[in-house]
Amino acid sequence: MTDRSHKDAFFGAFARVGKAVAHPVRLELLDLLAQTPRTVEELAHLSAQSVANTSQHLQVLFRSGLVARDKRGQFVTYALASDDVAMLFAALRDVARAHVAEVETAARRFLRDDVDEPIAADELAQRMRAGDVLVVDVRPSEEYAAGHLPGAISIPLADLEQRLASLPKRKEIVAYCRGPYCVLAVDAVRALRATGRRARRLEDGVRDWAARGLPVSREECAS
């Protein structure tokens, strides 16, 4: 092969990855899979897509080497091919956030964020060590079990109202979910504040937290 042919082969392969992620649904699927492996049916439900449409998008990601799959019986479970894929998603997100004005405009509409500025990861880590804050993971319980902030308790957003009585009224509560463009923590903070509790949200998701060199726990969710 000539030098030109080699370059075409390299950049063609890079472009296939770029093409695979160049769709909003596929990016959302990668974001969901960054939390924990899931079946096609689970991903379809969480992304508000049909099973057939979700399966087609997953096939594109699979052929590009971005996801792996495991078929057991009638169910196929997908997972990220490696942590590098999660890093790719985070890099795309952060570059878009820094350079595309529409991202923050859309975020303000989507998040409906009338709460205070989110707490920074370093500040939260310091306060967690001091024991003066309660950290709540408001993602689904299977995502919590796959990885969560040390000492965080699992209260999926759907269960928050019935668990309010068990939460302290004087200690500040910090809620977190999947990352800066996840609305679960925003809704949790709003609900907590409506009861008179002090609450803030952590903008980072678990992978963002780990990328800062901060520890992550993996254990079964306590009931």
Side-chain angles (χ1 to χ4, degrees), residues 103-169:
V103 172
E104 286 306 304
T105 301
R108 285 193 293 271
R109 291 196 302 265
F110 173 66
L111 294 176
R112 308 184 306 279
D113 194 355
D114 55 358
V115 301
D116 291 342
E117 286 296 314
I119 187 171
D122 290 341
E123 179 186 350
L124 178 58
Q126 182 177 2
R127 295 190 60 190
M128 289 167 67
R129 288 192 291 268
D132 65 352
V133 65
L134 175 67
V135 182
V136 177
D137 186 322
V138 296
R139 299 173 301 160
S141 57
E142 63 270 18
E143 296 182 20
Y144 173 92
H148 56 271
L149 273 59
I153 64 172
S154 175
I155 305 181
L157 183 63
D159 300 337
L160 181 60
E161 184 175 356
Q162 66 187 41
R163 298 277 298 276
L164 282 173
S166 66
L167 297 178
K169 293 185 177 180

Side-chain angles (χ1 to χ4, degrees), residues 35 137-139 175-179 182-186 202 204-206:
Q35 311 302 313
D137 186 322
V138 296
R139 299 173 301 160
Y176 73 89
C177 49
R178 296 170 182 144
C182 175
V183 74
L184 299 177
V186 175
L202 173 67
D204 282 353
V206 174

Side-chain angles (χ1 to χ4, degrees), residues 91-103:
L92 285 171
R93 179 198 68 195
D94 293 344
V95 168
R97 186 178 191 179
H99 299 283
V100 182
E102 290 88 345
V103 172

